[in-house]
Amino acid sequence: VKGDKLFDGNWGYDAGFRFSQVKDDEMLQTASAQRFSRILNAADPIFDPTSPQYIGTTVPFNPFGDYRVPIASNAASVNYATIRANSLALSKIATVDLNIYTTELFKVPAGGVGLAFGGQFRRETISQVPDDHALQGDLVGESASAATDAGRRDYAFYAESDIPIFSPQNAILGFHSLEFTAATRFEDFENNDTNVLVPKFGMRWQPFDEQLTVRSTWGEGFREPSLFELYASPTTGLEPTLFHGNFEPETTTIESSNPRLQPEDSRAFSGGIVYTPKYIGGLTLSVDLWDIERRGVVTAPAAQEVVQRYLAGHLLPGEEVILDPSGSSINAIIETFQNAGRQNARGIDMGLQYVLQTPFGTFTSLTQATYLDSFILQLTTESKSVEVSGNSADQGTLGDGYLKWKGISRLDWTWNGIDLLGTVRYTGGYNEHLFSGADPSIYPDGNKDHYVKATWFFDVQASYDFTFTAPVESQPVAGYSKDAKEIVRGK
């Protein structure tokens, strides 16, 4: 629901309601841990023809075969131990928001002061109903699961103002145009009694005329942990560990949620220029520097970090190392999500656009590139900060690649409803780190880097617009947006 040009013609509003639901029905055919133990025991009643539990064979399961060539005598045992587990996960989100704005709260010599404010209410729920076998820990290769029924409510209030200081109406030397923006957002999460208040400031300055624009933005941000990170059922995986000199490539690791997690914090700065020279009509150049830092990033520690804390005698809340009866090896590791990580990224965005109007249509060339100067990654509070730009993180914990260069170039032709667009995308290469600290006798190449080559993607799109009425022409404002293509059909 929305309306504009209200009251004195400068006010408007929009309000909305949104609901979405995702249902995940997982059907798994696997083996029952309890039944698997029974088919290995020749003395079990299931192999006794006189027992009511008899499964049709007197021969216990033979595990010493090749799965590609099934052993005939195993058929009855395999059929008995095989189960079908059905688990259900359901997530929902409902959002209501209302925004009110005015383009002229009051007038100053440079023009109208703009103001927008509003509020939002959000309700999220997550439900996980594992199969009974999963709840009892009866699935081979998995620990006991748990049912989840959790949710949260949160509400937010926000406001933003645009304040013109100079404009063509009151320009002076060196200040053809100057305006500032200021915004703030408050959000309260009722599930764990946390709240945040973050600011944002921006500046746009044209010293001489519309040809040169200088712009800058600074702000803080946050991310509330997801319901999965806060309340989800445990998940089981396998990770490499080193314990008392013994390397184990597949240690059972149980990852648990953590309802004590706090919101992540972030800080972002960007600043740059946009140049649209009059002597080359249709040309736009832009350069923007940016620096982004995230603190308290929600992450699950590597299994080896939990082992090191266990050996040092200071496990974090919720962590546990379960040893075998002899105490010489690890049976399982229990870890939890934690606010532990830190990331800092710094780079530069560059853009070049040229628009050429001809009797045979409009040609638009747009090229944008991003250079990642630095990416500092600290996975947890106890791990070292590492520079990963042009590389990947350790594959044992995180396999993302952090590319030095990324770019996209488009060439577009529009004429009388015809639109032909060709696109080239470039992603730079990077060094992929494999398992660090791997036993060379088991993984001879485990500590070597693998170089992933740069890639190019090409695509062409063609379309025809059957609109029979000419649309209203619009003109983009230089210096506001990095989205350069603003082409509409004209005469």
Side-chain angles (χ1 to χ4, degrees), residues 185-261:
R185 180 183 179 94
F186 171 82
E187 191 151 355
D188 185 89
F189 304 93
E190 297 185 353
N191 61 299
N192 55 5
D193 196 28
T194 61
N195 58 72
V196 289
L197 177 67
V198 292
K200 182 178 180 180
F201 301 97
M203 180 273 293
R204 180 176 175 269
W205 171 41
Q206 292 179 332
F208 311 115
D209 53 21
E210 291 83 3
Q211 293 186 87
L212 178 64
T213 300
V214 180
R215 59 189 180 186
S216 177
T217 301
W218 175 90
E220 294 182 351
F222 65 92
R223 186 188 77 87
E224 174 72 1
S226 69
L227 290 180
F228 185 89
E229 293 165 336
L230 288 166
Y231 306 117
S233 304
T235 57
T236 303
L238 300 172
E239 288 189 43
T241 58
L242 185 66
F243 184 68
H244 291 320
N246 297 318
F247 179 72
E248 172 53 57
E250 295 185 343
T251 303
T252 299
T253 305
I254 303 169
E255 190 174 282
S256 301
S257 55
N258 183 0
R260 298 179 296 275
L261 291 172

Side-chain angles (χ1 to χ4, degrees), residues 365-386:
S365 171
L366 170 65
T367 299
Q368 295 172 307
T370 294
Y371 174 72
L372 181 61
D373 175 62
S374 171
F375 196 106
I376 305 298
L377 178 66
Q378 184 182 16
L379 293 176
T380 65
T381 52
E382 297 188 3
S383 60
K384 294 181 179 180
S385 296
V386 292

Side-chain angles (χ1 to χ4, degrees), residues 392-415:
S392 72
D394 193 316
Q395 207 173 38
T397 54
L398 189 67
D400 293 334
Y402 302 89
L403 310 179
K404 278 286 188 182
W405 283 100
K406 293 175 67 176
I408 184 170
S409 184
R410 296 186 178 99
L411 181 61
D412 182 73
W413 171 59
T414 59
W415 181 62

Side-chain angles (χ1 to χ4, degrees), residues 1 12 20 36 49 61 85 137 139 151 201 236 256 274 281 287 336 345 347 380 407 425 427 454 460:
V1 180
S20 67
F36 183 71
F61 178 74
L139 302 183
F201 301 97
T236 303
S256 301
V274 179
V287 177
T336 64
T380 65
R425 293 178 177 85
T427 57
V460 177

Side-chain angles (χ1 to χ4, degrees), residues 29-64:
Q29 179 173 298
T30 184
S32 161
Q34 182 263 340
R35 292 189 177 190
F36 183 71
S37 297
R38 297 188 68 180
I39 63 175
L40 293 173
N41 180 11
D44 195 283
I46 61 174
F47 298 116
D48 182 358
T50 64
S51 170
Q53 302 180 41
Y54 181 60
I55 61 173
T57 181
T58 60
V59 181
F61 178 74
N62 179 6
F64 302 105

